[in-house]
């Protein structure tokens, strides 16, 4: 149980284009989903927290107009990198949490590697 | 953002050896978690600790929640080649909600035969 998928697993795009990454909880309903960014040989840095049906909460320094997050259902959250540039190249990982009393742990997706040319 | 300090940063060990790594913070956390990340994959939860002083095992892994709530350690006994990867600690300061985690800087483990 508690499987989280991401699509695509890797994407290469041209500078200036927008890229959408999907995060799905496959066997549970996730009230909260998180988006992280990870640079090579670095730790995970939280970008934003999204709750189903409400606006995402972004961490300091993360541009909400650059990284659009939509959590339209209890099993799907999307991250759209708008007008991507080479510095946006990174490994993006989502996680999902049940958010039920006593069951708060985050289960992570396999990640999406974005390369912007 | 804030990060937790992990040590060692990396380690090379021989198969069969025991491994110990720790994680320290300048602030208190109410939950400590240990994750393992393989190259190109997302982190996988190994152990979760919810009470100060708690000692929890998961197979060859043992982790403890420090009494001060500012540190935690992870031990791996009798290491095997598949233990290779990056180990991250993570802390959560809020209780009762699916609140955000703060991740450690990571410990890269390499096991030689």
């Amino acid at each position: 149980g508690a499987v989280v998928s991401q699509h695509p697993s890797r994407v290469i795009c041209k500078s200036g284009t927008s890229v959408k990454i999907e995060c799905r909880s496959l066997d549970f309903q996730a009230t909260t989903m998180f988006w992280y960014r990870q640079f090579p040989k670095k730790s995970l840095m939280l970008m934003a927290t999204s709750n189903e049906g409400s606006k995402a909460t972004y961490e300091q320094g993360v541009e909400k107009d650059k990284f659009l997050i939509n959590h339209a259902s209890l099993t799907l959250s999307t991250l759209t990198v708008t007008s991507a540039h080479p510095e946006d190249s990174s490994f993006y990982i989502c996680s999902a949490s049940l958010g039920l009393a006593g069951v708060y742990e985050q289960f992570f997706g396999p990640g999406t590697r974005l390369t912007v040319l | 953002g804030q990060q937790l300090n992990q040590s060692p940063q990396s380690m090379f060990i021989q198969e069969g050896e025991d491994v110990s790594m720790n994680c320290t913070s300048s602030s208190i956390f109410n939950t400590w978690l240990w994750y393992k990340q393989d190259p190109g994959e997302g982190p996988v939860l190994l152990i979760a600790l919810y009470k100060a002083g708690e000692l929890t095992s998961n197979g060859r892994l043992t982790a403890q929640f420090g009494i001060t709530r500012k540190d935690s350690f992870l031990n791996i006994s009798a290491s095997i080649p598949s233990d290779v990867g990056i180990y991250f600690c993570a802390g959560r300061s809020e209780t009762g909600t699916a609140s955000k985690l703060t991740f450690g800087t990571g410990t890269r483990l390499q096991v030689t035969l």
Side-chain angles (χ1 to χ4, degrees), chain B residues 4-106:
Chain B
L4 305 175
N5 292 314
Q6 281 185 245
S7 66
Q9 187 175 11
S10 65
M11 53 199 315
F12 287 82
I13 61 166
Q14 287 195 320
E15 184 178 6
E17 288 185 344
D18 296 344
V19 174
S20 184
M21 60 189 79
N22 64 54
C23 186
T24 59
S25 169
S26 57
S27 55
I28 289 173
F29 287 97
N30 291 314
T31 300
W32 284 92
L33 306 163
W34 284 92
Y35 289 87
K36 178 175 183 269
Q37 185 179 29
D38 291 328
E41 299 290 332
V44 173
L45 181 63
L46 300 174
I47 292 182
L49 302 157
Y50 300 106
K51 289 172 59 176
E54 179 181 356
L55 184 71
T56 297
S57 293
N58 178 9
R60 294 179 295 106
L61 278 60
T62 302
Q64 184 158 30
F65 190 143
I67 290 290
T68 64
R69 293 193 285 163
K70 292 183 177 182
D71 61 349
S72 177
F73 73 75
L74 174 70
N75 284 344
I76 305 173
S77 63
S79 59
I80 58 178
S82 61
D83 290 334
V84 166
I86 303 176
Y87 292 79
F88 289 104
C89 63
R92 184 168 60 226
S93 55
E94 296 177 34
T95 56
T97 62
S99 53
K100 60 184 181 183
L101 300 176
T102 300
F103 274 83
T105 47

Side-chain angles (χ1 to χ4, degrees), chain A residues 31-32 34 36 38 41-46 49 59 91 93 97 99 104-111 113, chain B residues 1 3 31 33 35 37 40-43 45 48 50 88 92 96-101 103-106 108:
Chain A
T31 56
T32 306
F34 304 83
Y36 295 83
Q38 186 178 33
K41 298 188 177 181
K42 297 293 184 182
S43 186
L44 282 75
M45 297 300 293
L46 180 65
T49 303
E59 294 299 298
F91 194 51
I93 310 173
S97 173
Y104 305 118
E105 298 321 328
Q106 295 179 30
F107 298 95
F108 286 82
R113 184 161 302 284
Chain B
Q3 278 195 332
T31 300
L33 306 163
Y35 289 87
Q37 185 179 29
E41 299 290 332
L45 181 63
Y50 300 106
F88 289 104
R92 184 168 60 226
T97 62
S99 53
K100 60 184 181 183
L101 300 176
F103 274 83
T105 47
R108 184 180 298 270

Side-chain angles (χ1 to χ4, degrees), chain A residues 2-63:
Chain A
V3 179
V4 177
S5 71
Q6 280 185 243
H7 178 80
S9 57
R10 73 177 54 227
V11 56
I12 301 172
C13 69
K14 292 183 179 180
S15 186
T17 60
S18 293
V19 175
K20 181 185 283 188
I21 302 170
E22 292 185 348
C23 177
R24 293 181 184 272
S25 55
L26 298 184
D27 51 3
F28 67 101
Q29 292 186 323
T31 56
T32 306
M33 288 186 170
F34 304 83
W35 286 95
Y36 295 83
R37 185 173 182 176
Q38 186 178 33
F39 290 108
K41 298 188 177 181
K42 297 293 184 182
S43 186
L44 282 75
M45 297 300 293
L46 180 65
M47 298 174 67
T49 303
S50 75
N51 291 295
E52 185 263 341
S54 60
K55 289 185 179 179
T57 302
Y58 289 81
E59 294 299 298
Q60 192 173 12
V62 178
E63 299 175 58

